[in-house]
Amino acid sequence: MNETIQHHQNEKNGYFSVEVDGKTEAKMTFVFAGSDKIIIDHTEVNPGNNGKGF
């Protein structure tokens, strides 16, 4: 199993994702709250991945 963590953002928001063998299996989105904080506003994990620490 080949896991990679991706990070994408622009000036307002972004997300982290976990890819396993090239397929996105989990995602966490966020928005910026000032210059030194973020608010995590959504998390999701594909079925069958609960408890894997993604």
Side-chain angles (χ1 to χ4, degrees):
M1 178 171 23
N2 184 17
E3 291 178 26
T4 58
I5 297 173
Q6 302 290 321
H7 172 231
H8 303 274
Q9 75 179 55
N10 60 33
E11 61 280 347
K12 295 180 182 179
N13 56 28
Y15 67 92
F16 290 91
S17 62
V18 177
E19 294 185 8
V20 178
D21 298 327
K23 181 181 175 197
T24 300
E25 295 291 345
K27 193 172 188 179
M28 177 181 74
T29 63
F30 63 87
V31 295
F32 288 104
S35 61
D36 61 347
K37 294 181 182 133
I38 61 172
I39 296 171
I40 298 168
D41 58 0
H42 181 75
T43 61
E44 62 185 72
V45 61
N46 287 352
N49 288 320
N50 293 336
K52 291 185 179 179
F54 294 164

